[in-house]
Amino acid sequence: MNVQQINDNYARQIERIENNRTYSDHAKKVMAAKAFKQAQDAMEQIRQQELKAIEDRREQLQRKMFGRESGSADAQTVLARRDANDRAAQIENPRVAAEMLKKAQREGDHIYAQALAAHAADFGWSDVLTSYADHQPGFREAAKEFNQLPDTSATSEWRMHHTFAHVVVPPSAIADASPHQVAELAAQELEAA
């Protein structure tokens, strides 16, 4: 189900509960709490799946841009990548990074070139990235898509809007109840209600 289907299904359930004259007020609260919790859980699952899809895509694009292949690598490659990352991390000047990148590209040291480009991306050294992109097929396309992905960090405006888009409004029967009370109502058996 998608967000709209969950909202529509939830609205129909609440309408049936509220319009039923045979249920006691307490039974309506229990049923409303169960419907609310079910819709809320479904929304949270969709929200998490959407976040994971964006974060997975971001990781795929980073691997494509900076050459880190998915799957396992042999021990020698792992050590070479670790060494290259350590050496690149020591560079604090974009001009030095650009010079080292040219040297790595001339010598065919792709692992060090990738490490330098990833380091440059972390610091926003666009000249280094441009030079790297000139020798890396598909880099610009992957970077463009990467930059168009929403910011999923916990404090981003997009994340706030995304979270609010997956909020379920409690029905009037439980609107004044605390989250703890709603959870208790939802856990009750209907026979006891």
Side-chain angles (χ1 to χ4, degrees), residues 1 6 9-10 13 33-43:
M1 278 209 272
I6 291 169
N9 186 42
Y10 172 65
Q13 284 180 300
K34 287 181 182 297
F36 172 75
K37 178 120 176 56
Q38 180 183 20
Q40 193 175 43
D41 290 348
M43 284 289 208

Side-chain angles (χ1 to χ4, degrees), residues 14 16-33 173-174 185 188-193:
I14 295 303
R16 279 194 305 269
I17 293 166
E18 289 175 348
N19 291 334
N20 193 309
R21 296 172 191 251
T22 61
Y23 299 137
S24 68
D25 286 344
H26 184 73
K28 286 182 179 183
K29 285 182 180 182
V30 169
M31 294 173 75
I174 58 170
L185 285 167
Q188 288 183 17
E189 295 296 327
L190 284 176
E191 293 82 32

Side-chain angles (χ1 to χ4, degrees), residues 73-176:
D74 61 87
Q76 186 177 356
T77 303
V78 170
L79 290 174
R81 187 170 302 283
R82 209 173 280 160
D83 177 62
N85 287 335
D86 289 344
R87 286 186 293 145
Q90 301 301 311
I91 299 173
E92 297 178 2
N93 184 314
R95 194 173 46 235
V96 172
E99 290 169 14
M100 298 306 292
L101 177 64
K102 285 179 187 173
K103 183 178 177 185
Q105 289 170 331
R106 250 191 337 265
E107 295 173 356
D109 188 350
H110 302 294
I111 292 176
Y112 190 43
Q114 292 163 357
L116 287 164
H119 183 65
D122 290 342
F123 287 93
W125 297 340
S126 59
D127 290 346
V128 178
L129 287 172
T130 300
S131 179
Y132 178 72
D134 289 342
H135 297 89
Q136 189 68 27
F139 180 88
R140 284 187 170 86
E141 295 79 10
K144 181 179 178 183
E145 183 181 346
F146 182 89
N147 290 330
Q148 290 173 344
L149 289 173
D151 178 5
T152 59
S153 63
T155 57
S156 73
E157 186 176 329
W158 180 89
R159 179 80 172 254
M160 182 180 65
H161 290 293
H162 184 255
T163 300
F164 285 141
H166 294 81
V167 169
V168 178
V169 178
S172 59
I174 58 170
D176 295 335

Side-chain angles (χ1 to χ4, degrees), residues 59-60 62-74 77-78 81 111 114 132 136:
E59 181 61 32
Q60 289 171 346
Q62 281 183 320
R63 283 194 306 268
K64 184 175 183 179
M65 289 186 292
F66 302 114
R68 290 183 293 260
E69 298 298 323
S70 60
S72 61
D74 61 87
T77 303
V78 170
R81 187 170 302 283
I111 292 176
Q114 292 163 357
Y132 178 72
Q136 189 68 27

